[in-house]
Amino acid sequence: MRATRYAAPDSVGDAVALLAGAAGRGRVLAGGSDLLVQMRAGRIEAELVVDVKRIERMTTLSHDARGFRIGAAVCGAALAEDALLARAWPGVVEAVQLIGSSQIQGRASLGGNLCNASPAADGVPALVTAGARCVVAGPAGEREVEASQVATGPGETSLSAGEILVEVLLPDPPPRCADAYLRMTPRSEMDIAVVGAAARVWLDERGRCSAARVALGSVGPTVREVHAADAILAGGALDDAALARLAGAARDATAPIDDLRGSARYRTRVAGVLARRATLIAYARARERR
Amino acid sequence: MSDGAEGARKFRWVGTRPVRPDGVDKVTGRARYGADLALPGMLWGRVLRSPHAHARILAIDASRALAMEGVKAVVSAEDLPEIRSEQAFVGEGPTDFRDLSHNVMARGKVLYHGHAVAAVAATSAELAERALAGIDVEYEVLPAVLDLDAALAPDAPLLHEDLVTKGVNPPPQRASNVAERVEMGHGDVEAGLARADVVVEREFTTRPVHQGYIEPHAALAEIGEDGRATIWCSSQGHFMVRAYTAKLLGMELSSIRVIPAEIGGGFGGKTTVYLEPVATLLARKSGRPVKMVMSREEVFRATGPTSGTRIRVKMGCTRDGRLTGADAHLEYEAGAFPGSPVTAGAMTIFAPYDVADVRIVGLDVVLNTPKVAAYRAPGAPMAAFAAESAVDELARRIDLDPIEFRLRNAAREGVQAPYGPRFKRIGHVETLEAARAHPHYRAPLLPNQGRGVASGFWFNAGLQSSADVHINEDGSVVVTSGNPDIGGSRASLAILAAEELGIDYARVSPIVADTSQVAYSDLTGGSRVTFATGMAVVEAARSVVRQLRERAAAIWEVDLDDVEWRDGAARLRAGAGREPLGLAELAARAARTGGPLAGHASLTARGVGAAFGTHICDVEVDPETGSVRVVRYTAVQDAGRAIHPSYVEGQMQGGVAQGIGWALNEEYLFDADGVMQNPGFLDYRMPVASDLPMIDAVIVEVPNPGHPYGVRGVGEVPIVPPIPAVANAIHDATGVRMRELPMSPPRVLEALEREG
Amino acid sequence: MKHHVSTTINGDAAEFLCEPGALLLDVLRDVLGLIGTKEGCGSGDCGACSILLDGRLVCACLVLAAEAEGARIETVEGLARDGELHPLQRRFLEDAALQCGVCTPGFLVAAKALLDRNPDPTEEEARYWLAGNLCRCTGYDKIVRAVLEAAAEMRGEVR
């Protein structure tokens, strides 16, 4: 595999400088489960590989009054081991845990999943419904961007050349609010999602749905939000009629393609099914929270 | 475990589960597989592969590559002798050496995307890979034939200008893409079907699927200035590798020595050669050893999957469940060269049943896809998908339990098989009865769950095997044979030797010898090693026992007939007066009593026992997504006699898992240009651990009268029933019949929407 | 320009030179002679190259050799200690949990990682943890049994 240089800086500033020096021919290496596969297959060529796993900020998961600060290179397995995060954001954590096998979990990161910008990325729908924000560092300094704005198309991000996604920020969820993520794969594990659905449900004091957010993966070039979900579900009971309307709205929100992992027709159909099921799980979880 | 084997003598080792002799090396990472060997001065070889599914090769210019850093040799078909078409049977199917040569290295034409066109040897794998871009090939692209209808169309582009369908009388005037037509059966099928009260006529389609061995092909070849070659490789038969390499390179057999590495799975896919002749050629041209290892992508693009198929069956039965006629038409995709397993498919499709009026017609069709290779019971699983689904449909139509239906029609001893011979003692009925009696068959099902049953058959093979049994000076034993150990055969051979000699299993050391160290042995495949090589081991051990008795008789100055060998020692048959002489003692005295103690056997194994299995499968179907999950599975199989039950169970469980993968998710996906879209384990979806439940493997023993221990081959039968068992279970759960493989979620959902 | 890497493999100090783009799997096998770790696919989809990297289960085919600097690597060759097989190795042998054996090193390392974290996994937990290890020979039945039995043995339970 051809990479003429490898560097492992220990600060964000150094990493940014290294990438700037490579004039667009450098790549960030976090877990490598996307980058190395694509380099080996010849789909990506990189003159410089910048390994960010020795940058403490990018490999640390912390929590304070403002919520969770997740280093973009923290591996999925480490995320899942954080009890606080798993309790607060079960949907995000279960989504990350679905990114590949146990071996991939030992490497794959939220940052990599976001920046690889696969339409089928498991990490993205739940970050969208969570309202996650990302800290991006570059030659011009640092900025924050909504997680939903990182991917702009298959393999394309809104990051400019030389920018690095450094951290993912998640607030503490309000009470009586929970999320969930489901996906459809032909096998029980190991597959790229044919459809992914994240749902987040807020309940009022009487346990009725007060707000909802649903986002779908693998049914468009980037994540598709089901904007009608809130209008359909808020203020009412999650009865069969509402859920059927939600499923319909989810199907309408898709813009899928036929590819070797699924047909557009199948994806559309299943998007409705998973939107409904994920919403029910989020609802059940929200009810358990006071 | 033991069922139906009355009067079986008590065995000391046969039927027990000792640890395999090669086990410690394999759990510690010491065992050497094909890619684990290296030699000083070694070069790395890489293959240049065709970017077109069908094209004429106009010119190959390797001059740029030869000028590149580290490149020591480039070869193409020009470096191979031309071979006229010739048939030779080695292993499980006829081999045309001309086709084999052209598959290993394209001559004149490339016939599939990924077809080997040239190869390079360089001082590193990376340099060899880079050098491929330095080989300039000029192609004239031709229209590609990518499915059966396209291949069979009257004006179809031809893959082979001289291919005239065999088996047609009078022979066709023109070439076509049909390599062969086979027909077999007996009776009058039209009359038989006319007598039926219920007739089912259906068409089934299946896609090419790969054996999926985890170890890619690998070989290391070295050739001396005297032209003698040594090849280290993993294969299912190093004698086959020697024979094929010699043929393809025009070398004498005795100038090639093939040393078997451990093999990381084969399932039939390694019963042929791809890299070995090329590595040897590169070694000869460069003067240095050459190592070649396929990438996973190459394994998928350029080694044989098994055939995609289209099968029409028509079966009829009376209202009380007696089959009156069975008719089948099979079309099997051979890939780029003739040789699909359509004949075996035709032979096996109705073999589990006693039907007086039966006809099967099969076509072997070439297409611009990789040349197919054997895959575990080649040809049978697809055929069983068709026939066992039709049988299930018939049983439902007359409201008869599916096992009872099969019992009423089961092939038994004396029944004429559809392919001609009469069955000897077989155990189909016993497997059906054991399945019916199994608690699984009566277990309750939950909502969205269904249960399916299917039977399967495989002939098993005999063929040639050789073995030596040597007694060391301390009485320990070496058993030498020539079959790579894919699944625990060393343990079985050691068990048989220990049983015959009456000694401790731990004192037997089984060795897989190379082609220069043991007499000829046919492949590891065809479910034949425990049967045929086991037979040779038994015979060699018996020869040693006779020698031991002779030595004791000489020492005691009695007649040979007065001496028996029992419980590991020579003993006087009658009367006292002589202390028994054990193996160690006689071995210590060997020099003075006639020389080293050694036995040899080389045989063509006769008395092969055909085998049957009956499987029960429970699935759960998600009606909203079409996902199918196997929730419970029981495989019942007649093993004749299970020498090492754990490895028999292992063969059953492994075959079931492959069948389930074939049924649910595995398929080759090609684009419109014949390029495989899923050449990796991500999108070629084999079952993972979380996809399967525990697989209950129930061994039934109906001893094969043709083998000293009653052994029947076990490796291939278990892949035959799972596809129809799963399909029948899906029908039971949903009312929908799946007739297309794989039964992946989108297809199941579509069927549910269409018919539900 | 080659990197000089100092690392620890199975408790022993090791060092090697490697190209920036070299993969850890290839260095382990072709430079250090540790051929127990196998390549089945080169893309992280089969688990035959499973190793532990600083205690984390990973595929060595998806790690650059240069990343091993200062890291602690464990391969199948390090499972047995002082001439004694690890309980997982023993149970794999007793329970015939291998046929061709090529996936076995990967399964052993992955199973060790499982039991390091969860000494009492259910069958389902074991199956999902091991989903990244492909086996084509066994259908997983005997492998899962061997792992659960080794776990019981390591917990001190007699089975």
Side-chain angles (χ1 to χ4, degrees), chain A residues 242-258:
Chain A
L243 289 168
R245 282 200 306 280
L246 171 69
R251 288 194 295 273
D252 291 340
T254 64
I257 55 166
D258 291 330

mmCIF file of all heavy atoms in Angstrom, chain A residues 242-258:
data_model
loop_
_atom_site.group_PDB
_atom_site.id
_atom_site.type_symbol
_atom_site.label_atom_id
_atom_site.label_comp_id
_atom_site.label_asym_id
_atom_site.label_seq_id
_atom_site.Cartn_x
_atom_site.Cartn_y
_atom_site.Cartn_z
ATOM 1 N N ALA A 242 -51.170 6.758 14.351
ATOM 2 C CA ALA A 242 -50.066 7.720 14.292
ATOM 3 C C ALA A 242 -48.813 7.064 13.749
ATOM 4 O O ALA A 242 -48.084 7.634 12.931
ATOM 5 C CB ALA A 242 -49.818 8.302 15.678
ATOM 6 N N LEU A 243 -48.569 5.858 14.212
ATOM 7 C CA LEU A 243 -47.356 5.171 13.769
ATOM 8 C C LEU A 243 -47.439 4.830 12.284
ATOM 9 O O LEU A 243 -46.429 4.873 11.569
ATOM 10 C CB LEU A 243 -47.131 3.908 14.610
ATOM 11 C CG LEU A 243 -46.698 4.195 16.055
ATOM 12 C CD1 LEU A 243 -46.780 2.930 16.897
ATOM 13 C CD2 LEU A 243 -45.296 4.776 16.102
ATOM 14 N N ALA A 244 -48.627 4.497 11.824
ATOM 15 C CA ALA A 244 -48.775 4.207 10.393
ATOM 16 C C ALA A 244 -48.508 5.474 9.579
ATOM 17 O O ALA A 244 -47.878 5.430 8.518
ATOM 18 C CB ALA A 244 -50.170 3.659 10.109
ATOM 19 N N ARG A 245 -48.974 6.596 10.108
ATOM 20 C CA ARG A 245 -48.707 7.850 9.396
ATOM 21 C C ARG A 245 -47.219 8.172 9.428
ATOM 22 O O ARG A 245 -46.647 8.647 8.444
ATOM 23 C CB ARG A 245 -49.486 9.014 10.018
ATOM 24 C CG ARG A 245 -50.974 9.032 9.620
ATOM 25 C CD ARG A 245 -51.603 10.401 9.828
ATOM 26 N NE ARG A 245 -51.429 10.917 11.181
ATOM 27 C CZ ARG A 245 -52.157 10.561 12.229
ATOM 28 N NH1 ARG A 245 -53.124 9.661 12.100
ATOM 29 N NH2 ARG A 245 -51.923 11.079 13.429
ATOM 30 N N LEU A 246 -46.593 7.875 10.556
ATOM 31 C CA LEU A 246 -45.148 8.087 10.649
ATOM 32 C C LEU A 246 -44.427 7.234 9.612
ATOM 33 O O LEU A 246 -43.521 7.707 8.914
ATOM 34 C CB LEU A 246 -44.641 7.742 12.054
ATOM 35 C CG LEU A 246 -43.108 7.730 12.187
ATOM 36 C CD1 LEU A 246 -42.556 9.134 12.052
ATOM 37 C CD2 LEU A 246 -42.672 7.110 13.507
ATOM 38 N N ALA A 247 -44.825 5.967 9.512
ATOM 39 C CA ALA A 247 -44.187 5.073 8.544
ATOM 40 C C ALA A 247 -44.349 5.639 7.133
ATOM 41 O O ALA A 247 -43.424 5.618 6.330
ATOM 42 C CB ALA A 247 -44.778 3.676 8.644
ATOM 43 N N GLY A 248 -45.528 6.153 6.857
ATOM 44 C CA GLY A 248 -45.764 6.751 5.551
ATOM 45 C C GLY A 248 -44.876 7.958 5.310
ATOM 46 O O GLY A 248 -44.307 8.143 4.229
ATOM 47 N N ALA A 249 -44.755 8.784 6.350
ATOM 48 C CA ALA A 249 -43.897 9.968 6.217
ATOM 49 C C ALA A 249 -42.450 9.559 6.011
ATOM 50 O O ALA A 249 -41.703 10.197 5.258
ATOM 51 C CB ALA A 249 -44.034 10.846 7.462
ATOM 52 N N ALA A 250 -42.051 8.500 6.696
ATOM 53 C CA ALA A 250 -40.676 8.025 6.532
ATOM 54 C C ALA A 250 -40.457 7.555 5.096
ATOM 55 O O ALA A 250 -39.437 7.873 4.468
ATOM 56 C CB ALA A 250 -40.387 6.900 7.518
ATOM 57 N N ARG A 251 -41.386 6.815 4.578
ATOM 58 C CA ARG A 251 -41.252 6.351 3.185
ATOM 59 C C ARG A 251 -41.165 7.552 2.238
ATOM 60 O O ARG A 251 -40.376 7.567 1.298
ATOM 61 C CB ARG A 251 -42.433 5.451 2.796
ATOM 62 C CG ARG A 251 -42.403 4.074 3.444
ATOM 63 C CD ARG A 251 -43.372 3.107 2.774
ATOM 64 N NE ARG A 251 -44.769 3.495 2.940
ATOM 65 C CZ ARG A 251 -45.520 3.151 3.981
ATOM 66 N NH1 ARG A 251 -45.000 2.422 4.951
ATOM 67 N NH2 ARG A 251 -46.772 3.535 4.041
ATOM 68 N N ASP A 252 -41.979 8.573 2.517
ATOM 69 C CA ASP A 252 -41.941 9.744 1.648
ATOM 70 C C ASP A 252 -40.628 10.505 1.753
ATOM 71 O O ASP A 252 -40.243 11.216 0.821
ATOM 72 C CB ASP A 252 -43.093 10.699 2.001
ATOM 73 C CG ASP A 252 -44.449 10.107 1.629
ATOM 74 O OD1 ASP A 252 -44.476 9.190 0.785
ATOM 75 O OD2 ASP A 252 -45.467 10.566 2.187
ATOM 76 N N ALA A 253 -39.970 10.377 2.881
ATOM 77 C CA ALA A 253 -38.746 11.162 3.094
ATOM 78 C C ALA A 253 -37.529 10.547 2.419
ATOM 79 O O ALA A 253 -36.466 11.155 2.383
ATOM 80 C CB ALA A 253 -38.478 11.322 4.593
ATOM 81 N N THR A 254 -37.679 9.330 1.903
ATOM 82 C CA THR A 254 -36.496 8.654 1.368
ATOM 83 C C THR A 254 -36.209 9.110 -0.064
ATOM 84 O O THR A 254 -37.104 9.499 -0.804
ATOM 85 C CB THR A 254 -36.682 7.135 1.347
ATOM 86 O OG1 THR A 254 -37.760 6.816 0.445
ATOM 87 C CG2 THR A 254 -37.013 6.577 2.723
ATOM 88 N N ALA A 255 -34.948 9.000 -0.423
ATOM 89 C CA ALA A 255 -34.533 9.254 -1.817
ATOM 90 C C ALA A 255 -33.453 8.226 -2.160
ATOM 91 O O ALA A 255 -32.313 8.570 -2.465
ATOM 92 C CB ALA A 255 -33.980 10.667 -1.954
ATOM 93 N N PRO A 256 -33.813 6.947 -2.099
ATOM 94 C CA PRO A 256 -32.784 5.902 -2.195
ATOM 95 C C PRO A 256 -32.422 5.547 -3.624
ATOM 96 O O PRO A 256 -33.109 5.926 -4.565
ATOM 97 C CB PRO A 256 -33.474 4.711 -1.519
ATOM 98 C CG PRO A 256 -34.929 4.913 -1.848
ATOM 99 C CD PRO A 256 -35.156 6.384 -1.942
ATOM 100 N N ILE A 257 -31.327 4.786 -3.748
ATOM 101 C CA ILE A 257 -30.935 4.247 -5.048
ATOM 102 C C ILE A 257 -30.966 2.732 -4.984
ATOM 103 O O ILE A 257 -31.044 2.136 -3.909
ATOM 104 C CB ILE A 257 -29.508 4.690 -5.426
ATOM 105 C CG1 ILE A 257 -28.513 4.298 -4.312
ATOM 106 C CG2 ILE A 257 -29.459 6.178 -5.690
ATOM 107 C CD1 ILE A 257 -27.062 4.378 -4.743
ATOM 108 N N ASP A 258 -30.906 2.125 -6.166
ATOM 109 C CA ASP A 258 -30.671 0.679 -6.250
ATOM 110 C C ASP A 258 -29.169 0.476 -6.204
ATOM 111 O O ASP A 258 -28.435 1.085 -6.981
ATOM 112 C CB ASP A 258 -31.154 0.132 -7.605
ATOM 113 C CG ASP A 258 -32.656 0.153 -7.742
ATOM 114 O OD1 ASP A 258 -33.344 0.023 -6.719
ATOM 115 O OD2 ASP A 258 -33.132 0.299 -8.883
#
